[in-house]
Amino acid sequence: MTAASIIFWLVFVLPFIAFLVWLMRQDKRKGKSGLIVLAIIVVVGIVYMYWKTKGQ
């Protein structure tokens, strides 16, 4: 990973995911299903990124 992508992950992606987790935990009825969907989206996004860049 280059320095630019590490900065992008640290500054934008991780705080955004943390905010979404906090927001979904506020919903008592559907909080767990929202967290599961968020986790699936994050994992699929990371796998797709590595697949398209071939791990570079």
Side-chain angles (χ1 to χ4, degrees):
M1 246 198 269
T2 65
S5 64
I6 292 173
I7 291 170
F8 173 77
W9 276 90
L10 291 176
V11 172
F12 293 108
V13 176
L14 293 179
F16 182 65
I17 291 173
F19 171 72
L20 287 177
V21 167
W22 173 80
L23 189 65
M24 288 180 201
R25 290 185 53 91
Q26 301 302 313
D27 186 12
K28 299 299 180 194
R29 292 179 297 164
K30 297 182 182 180
K32 292 190 191 292
S33 61
L35 291 174
I36 292 169
V37 170
L38 178 64
I40 291 170
I41 289 172
V42 168
V43 168
V44 168
I46 291 172
V47 169
Y48 179 76
M49 176 190 64
Y50 279 114
W51 179 59
K52 290 303 261 186
T53 62
K54 296 177 180 51
Q56 294 182 359

